[in-house]
Amino acid sequence: MPSLRPAFDTNAAITFAYTTKMTRLLTAIVCFAASASLLAEDELALRLQPALETITPDGLLAHIKVLASNEFEGRSPGTKGEELSVKYIADQFKKIELKPGNPDGTYTQEVPLAGIKSEPRMSFTIGDKTMDLKYPDDFVASSARLQPEIKIDKANVVFVGYGVVAPEYGWNDYKDVDVRGKTLLMLIGDPPVPDPKDPAKLSDKIFKGKAMTYYGRWTYKYEIAAQKGAAAAIIIHETEPAAYPWQVVRSSWGKENFELDNPNNNMDAISARLWITLEVAKKLFADCGQDFDALKKSAITKEFRPVALNAKANVEIKQEIRSFKSHNVIGKLEGDDPKLRDEYIICTAHWDHLGRHPELQGDQIFNGAIDNASGVASVIQLAAAFKKLNPPPKRSVLFMATTAEETGLLGAKYYAEHPLYPLEKTLADFNIDGINPWGKTHDLEDLTDRNSTLDDLLGEAAARQGRVMKPSSEPEKGGFYRVDSFEFAKAGVPALHAARGIEVIGKPPEYGKQKRDEFVAKHYHQPSDEVDPTWDLSGAVQDVQLLFEVGYQVANGDKFPEWKAGSEFKAKRDTVLKK
């Protein structure tokens, strides 16, 4: 009878013993590595803690109160408000013991600006009738050209849909129509092209769906109109696609505006830039025998062709021009590594706001507490945090408060065109334009849409705070294209625009969105953007600390941040780095 006891397999036993031993060894190695990693993270956290602790609600609020005070008169470039702002920021950089950021030994970079006060008139001639428009209730108008008078007399009006030429999407609103010398009428935003599979949604194959592209920005529309040789371009304002009400257009354009004081007097810009209200546009179309809604609908197709209206535009802009030197304020923390200290990261926020409007009844000062005294306060706090590091970061860190952001990102644009330090050696720009004043949040919104590896670092840092990074909840507003970091991105430098969350801890789910919407509707670019005693800046501290962590990683990292494949800025960066 055969034995029921299995035969002993010596080879199997040896294999089993070896495998068990190796498994234990690998487990030990993994545990050791994990332990070492945790120790490294703990050591890093311990090293960063004193720096992080310098970023506080009280510290932020103290700077905001000064910059947003009535004494600073709304911080308009070329005014007492600029003098006070530049001095205060430079003094703070000196107090922190930053080195002068300009290689000439100063804390400022001169930015040649021209201030332009405009007195515009506008009308349409339709047949034998004249449609006079009231400024600034019905329209606003300005010109970047530095000349005392702009005059457009009876220029033919052509509706060009969204006024977009986007070869990568096979889109051309102009077709082969000659618009030289004509007045162009165009819609705000990107063409909202429906998804052919679900018309209730927007196609994500053309113009990024709901998210705004640069084609949707008003700056692009005036630029392409100039390239086409048009005499004037009129944007039809609508609150939802513009992301702000008409009152913001009035406040922003119905005052002294600024342009870079270029040697060519900006004669390559379009002669007249105008906005009109939706109500005026609808009346104009109706008086010309056209259906505005029908033409607007036709403009969301590739087949759209410009439509000549039975109207002529008359525009006259008298301009009072003053040239002056404005200033970016810049401080420098020199890197600790002799091989890397000539490479840079830069932290930016604009110091300017809309100034004082003496024609207003009651409060005339646009204090700009959130927009953007809060951003400058954050940069000052970041500078103090980096200065606290021991040892300092390997690469140098620049801290810059820019001028004239509110009138076209001009300070950042000037720096990008006349950098104090080579852009090919500038690893990243971290920009702050407004902070979260409503408390800590569960989430963090990525306003740069995961365009670069900086977004990945931000997401990882947020996770360490126990937060979740999400896509922007309002991609249609094109937040990334409306702030200084865009000028760095256009120059190829990877950029990160500080995001804010809306899921406020301890508040109802809708609280954060309600507060944000209320700010945009009632306080954005209004005199009421003032310091509010009900603010809770603990969430702002969270966000600024995140930027510090990401900045620290980049300043000490082994490689440059990169634009991701598909980003419209990658080709420019590749070109810059080949120099």
Side-chain angles (χ1 to χ4, degrees), residues 66-85 351-358 363-368:
V66 174
L67 291 163
S69 66
N70 284 344
E71 182 187 3
F72 280 56
E73 296 184 348
R75 305 187 307 280
S76 184
T79 67
K80 171 190 172 186
E82 165 158 5
E83 293 177 15
L84 292 174
S85 299
W351 60 255
D352 69 298
H353 199 51
L354 304 183
R356 184 174 195 157
H357 292 211
D363 192 354
Q364 299 176 341
I365 297 175
F366 289 69
N367 302 81

Side-chain angles (χ1 to χ4, degrees), residues 463-501:
R464 288 193 291 272
Q465 282 188 345
R467 301 166 72 191
V468 178
M469 190 166 81
K470 297 180 177 179
S472 171
S473 61
E474 298 178 314
E476 69 280 3
K477 292 188 175 181
F480 182 61
Y481 303 99
R482 296 165 55 182
V483 294
D484 280 337
S485 48
F486 179 54
E487 291 297 334
F488 286 91
K490 284 199 298 184
V493 178
L496 189 64
H497 176 41
R500 289 170 276 180

Side-chain angles (χ1 to χ4, degrees), residues 63 85-101 106-108 328-333 347-349 376-384 387 398-402:
H63 296 308
S85 299
V86 169
K87 183 180 186 306
Y88 180 79
I89 299 164
D91 284 348
Q92 294 305 309
F93 288 169
K94 292 173 188 175
K95 184 177 179 181
I96 294 166
E97 297 184 347
L98 296 181
K99 292 186 175 181
T106 70
Y107 286 88
T108 60
N328 292 328
V329 190
I330 185 164
K332 177 182 178 182
L333 174 63
C347 302
T348 55
V376 176
S378 300
V379 167
I380 294 171
Q381 288 256 282
L382 277 173
K387 186 65 179 176
L398 308 173
F399 303 91
M400 182 165 69
T402 57

Side-chain angles (χ1 to χ4, degrees), residues 122 139-142 183 222 232-235 272-276 315 317:
M122 182 181 185
F139 82 101
V140 295
S142 71
T183 293
Y222 294 138
I234 306 171
I235 296 175
R273 306 171 299 191
L274 305 103
W275 292 71
I276 59 174
V315 180
I317 311 174

